[in-house]
Amino acid sequence: MNDRDTARAVAAGSDGPPNGGLVASLAFLALIMVPLLVASYPLVSAGLLAGGVAVVALGRSLVRHVDGGAVRTVSLPGLGTVEYRFARS
């Protein structure tokens, strides 16, 4: 390869940003880092996974048992009463 070919290749590639952008770079970094973190901290990773599964299961169970149109109230000592309604989409 001579200097003229190198100059042409550099000029052709310097017009814009590399393909993919920031989101692809962060996704690639996460793809590399997650297995390393899981290998480094297996008990913490297992705990986070179990906690996430428990939260999802509790949320699904709560949505299944609550009527969509009813307004419910919860009395929180020291904070007052909170009204809430679950809307299904």
Side-chain angles (χ1 to χ4, degrees):
M1 218 167 148
N2 59 26
D3 290 335
R4 195 173 77 218
D5 292 335
T6 304
R8 240 186 309 165
V10 169
S14 64
D15 292 12
N19 293 335
L22 181 62
V23 174
S25 297
L26 291 175
F28 180 72
L29 182 64
L31 188 66
I32 298 299
M33 292 303 296
V34 167
L36 291 175
L37 288 173
V38 169
S40 298
Y41 303 103
L43 291 178
V44 173
S45 300
L48 287 175
L49 180 63
V53 169
V55 166
V56 168
L58 181 65
R60 288 180 60 109
S61 175
L62 186 63
V63 166
R64 212 175 311 128
H65 287 93
V66 173
D67 183 20
V71 175
R72 308 285 176 136
T73 60
V74 174
S75 179
L76 301 172
L79 296 175
T81 302
V82 177
E83 292 184 352
Y84 62 94
R85 177 190 318 238
F86 287 96
R88 294 186 183 207
S89 56

